Amino acid sequence: METRELTCIQCPLGCQLAVTVDGDAVTVTGNTCQRGAVYGEKEVTAPTRTVTGTIPVDGGEIARVSVKTAPDIPKDKIFDVMAEIRSAHLTAPVEAGRIIIHDVAGTGADVIATKTVKRS
Amino acid sequence: MEYHDIVVIGGGPAGLAAAVSAYDAGCRDVLVIERDERLGGILNQCIHNGFGLHTFKEELTGPEYAERYIRKAEERSIEYRLRTIVADVSPEREILYVNRDEGAVRMKAGAIVLAMGCRERPRGALGIPGYRPAGIYTAGTAQRLMNIEGYMVGREVVILGSGDIGLIMARRMTLEGAKVKVVAELMPYSGGLKRNIVQCLDDYGIPLRLSHTVTKIHGKRRVEGVTISEVGPDRRPVPGTEEFYSCDTLLLSCGLIPENELSKQVGIILSRVTGGPEVDDSLETSAEGVFACGNVLHVHDLVDFVSEEAERAGRNAAAFAAEGGKTRGGVLQVTPENGVTYTVPQKIRTDAAEKVTLRFRVNGVYRDRCVAVRSSGAEIKRVKRRIMAPGEMEELILTGEDLARCAGGITVGLED
């Protein structure tokens, strides 16, 4: 049995949650609404995050294009995803929405451009 | 002289939303003036996600949110000029702008929308002792250098101030391989959104030390470290609490200031609390036909509210440009009290037909309090809030019925 303390981020109230995992059973206490219970359970069992970063672009109107993971990736893969983003390199033009890295760090998610960078 | 029905100064989220809504309200002659090389404003450097939950019901990054509005403007063929800076505005709505291609140009506007945004409080305004070595940046400048220009600004970082940009940069620098040692916050509470505390600091084990400030910057050529001290209730450093943190970079996230140099040139009355123009419910400033919206009016936490506010300013500017100056009726003065630091708007026209959205901030963290709106002692509205904090902008809607019951002025304050 393991208990973790979390701050709920579903609203400005910021309830202090205690999430207890006992085998398959997850109990959330400290929440004042259902959204807090859902958040607390997911944060402890399968937390995910959107990772955003930038990738250098040769010959573009600006030096870097911004990117994000789509969909979210498991929280424990953040630095693996960043390592792949940081080793990427592009040539202009880049259109917003283009897939830059398929299946980043084996997460099944893609890294996509969030900005259009035209040729300079 | 060149003439436009509406000139919008600033092509960030506020300016774009104002221009689009002015067009949709029937004005076909809208010009946006932007000093940067592209539209979108500060959103272009805010590469993180979390934008648009209210406006688009999905989570977007800053550049994606900006591109949605840029597309709206382009679909309507709204004219814009980039790399163009407005140097002067007169009360008669004459504008002097400058750019490389045209030099200095004068034009006249039927109505003006001010959407110049805000800037960061710099080191010089904070009074931190020490030399002036390299390695001290405002958080937003560091954000631009990293996300647009592509420079890594430092390796070992201390952040002063827990505003949202500082929190976002703590995560950003960590992801790029820097070590963020601590975030120090002068106040006993954070100025940032809860979500950012959790996802930018807690996720990476970065400590947030409340009631602490930087009392010395070490290093002559480059930052070598900072001294952090605890502060008492009077916000003055407590002797004996000094701690040294070695670092090569200090980021400052100590507040945003609406950028109102042009507003001052027009002679517009500014609020001492918000730093932005005083406006009525149409978002018109004290200068006739000059409207204001977004962070130049008051600093927002969420761009979604900027867009909504700017749409109102654009619509009202379009109405003004179409109908010309109307005779002004009476106004109700809105006075903040009991923990409410300011309201926007500060005035409500007595002939305001529609409902009025009042936005305000409080001066501390309050749990289970009511927001009361009173006029001549009579209670007009009372709304219970579970929590209010200075870092989260509050909102209250007054209906036409509510307003009909107001006489003289109204007050907005917290009550038990």
Side-chain angles (χ1 to χ4, degrees), chain B residues 263-279:
Chain B
S263 318
K264 286 179 198 160
Q265 286 173 16
V266 190
I268 286 169
I269 297 169
L270 300 181
S271 156
R272 262 191 238 171
V273 184
T274 62
E278 290 197 354
V279 291

Side-chain angles (χ1 to χ4, degrees), chain A residues 7-9 11-14 32 39 43 48-54 61-64 66-68 72 75 78-79 82 86 96 112-118, chain B residues 37-38 44-45 47-49 59-61 63-64 67 74 146-151 155 171-172 174-177 194-195 198-199 202-204 367 386-387 392:
Chain A
T7 307
C8 181
I9 62 167
C11 83
L13 209 53
T32 47
Y39 171 79
E43 246 333 81
T48 60
R49 295 288 185 272
T50 303
V51 173
T52 63
T54 62
E61 53 181 344
I62 51 173
R64 298 180 91 84
S66 51
V67 297
K68 71 171 182 184
D72 288 0
K75 191 181 161 195
I78 290 176
F79 283 94
M82 273 311 292
R86 292 179 69 197
I112 65 169
T114 56
K115 190 185 281 188
T116 297
V117 179
K118 297 184 187 128
Chain B
E37 304 200 351
R38 56 158 77 197
N44 286 319
Q45 69 185 56
I47 63 165
H48 53 282
N49 66 319
E59 226 178 328
L60 302 173
T61 64
E64 291 172 311
E67 283 207 11
E74 285 176 346
M146 283 188 76
N147 295 347
I148 306 275
E149 324 267 344
Y151 297 106
R155 293 286 160 197
R171 173 175 65 186
R172 181 83 186 101
T174 303
L175 289 179
E176 292 292 348
K194 201 119 239 170
R195 182 174 71 174
V198 171
Q199 295 202 340
D202 296 355
D203 271 7
Y204 302 96
R367 284 174 192 276
R386 301 217 29 210
I387 190 157
E392 316 256 359

Side-chain angles (χ1 to χ4, degrees), chain B residues 13-19 21-22 55 65 69 113-117 258 274 276-277 279-284 291-317 342-346 357-361 393-395:
Chain B
L16 289 170
S21 76
T55 310
Y65 191 98
Y69 275 92
V113 179
L114 303 174
M116 294 90 77
T274 62
V279 291
D280 66 21
D281 56 287
S282 73
L283 302 177
E284 189 178 25
F291 298 78
C293 56
N295 282 354
V296 80
L297 178 56
H298 59 140
V299 175
H300 296 63
D301 328 311
L302 297 179
V303 72
D304 301 77
F305 296 146
V306 168
S307 301
E308 186 273 331
E309 181 180 278
E311 281 161 21
R312 276 190 284 144
R315 259 196 322 272
N316 292 321
Y342 75 82
T343 67
V344 168
Q346 290 88 353
T357 306
L358 271 186
R359 298 231 156 96
F360 62 94
R361 283 186 195 272
M393 187 186 286
E394 295 291 332
E395 178 182 291

Side-chain angles (χ1 to χ4, degrees), chain B residues 373-389:
Chain B
V373 179
R374 294 177 178 280
S375 183
S376 310
E379 186 177 289
I380 304 296
K381 188 157 208 139
R382 189 180 184 83
V383 190
K384 193 169 185 258
R385 291 289 150 89
R386 301 217 29 210
I387 190 157
M388 287 176 280

Side-chain angles (χ1 to χ4, degrees), chain B residues 15-27:
Chain B
L16 289 170
V20 166
S21 76
Y23 183 96
D24 290 348
C27 183

Side-chain angles (χ1 to χ4, degrees), chain B residues 171-361:
Chain B
R171 173 175 65 186
R172 181 83 186 101
M173 297 203 68
T174 303
L175 289 179
E176 292 292 348
K179 172 77 188 155
V180 179
K181 296 193 160 175
V182 67
V183 176
E185 167 60 55
L186 178 72
M187 304 302 286
Y189 48 81
S190 165
L193 299 173
K194 201 119 239 170
R195 182 174 71 174
N196 287 336
I197 306 270
V198 171
Q199 295 202 340
C200 299
L201 301 187
D202 296 355
D203 271 7
Y204 302 96
I206 299 167
L208 170 62
R209 305 196 67 182
L210 300 173
S211 298
H212 279 74
T213 193
V214 172
T215 44
K216 188 171 181 190
I217 297 169
H218 305 262
K220 205 161 181 181
R221 296 179 64 83
R222 174 88 199 187
V223 174
E224 289 167 8
V226 297
T227 298
I228 288 181
S229 304
E230 193 179 338
V231 297
D234 58 356
R235 293 187 222 161
R236 297 175 72 93
V238 178
T241 61
E242 299 85 359
E243 274 179 78
F244 177 78
Y245 286 83
S246 81
C247 60
D248 57 29
T249 303
L250 173 65
L251 297 190
L252 306 172
S253 181
C254 302
L256 300 168
I257 305 158
E259 190 164 343
N260 276 291
E261 275 62 30
L262 287 175
S263 318
K264 286 179 198 160
Q265 286 173 16
V266 190
I268 286 169
I269 297 169
L270 300 181
S271 156
R272 262 191 238 171
V273 184
T274 62
E278 290 197 354
V279 291
D280 66 21
D281 56 287
S282 73
L283 302 177
E284 189 178 25
T285 67
S286 63
E288 192 175 48
V290 181
F291 298 78
C293 56
N295 282 354
V296 80
L297 178 56
H298 59 140
V299 175
H300 296 63
D301 328 311
L302 297 179
V303 72
D304 301 77
F305 296 146
V306 168
S307 301
E308 186 273 331
E309 181 180 278
E311 281 161 21
R312 276 190 284 144
R315 259 196 322 272
N316 292 321
F320 181 92
E323 295 160 21
K326 280 204 291 189
T327 51
R328 294 180 176 208
V331 290
L332 294 166
Q333 189 75 35
V334 186
T335 309
E337 59 175 24
N338 295 339
V340 175
T341 51
Y342 75 82
T343 67
V344 168
Q346 290 88 353
K347 298 185 194 79
I348 298 174
R349 296 166 300 170
T350 45
D351 56 357
E354 39 183 334
K355 66 183 167 70
V356 172
T357 306
L358 271 186
R359 298 231 156 96
F360 62 94
R361 283 186 195 272

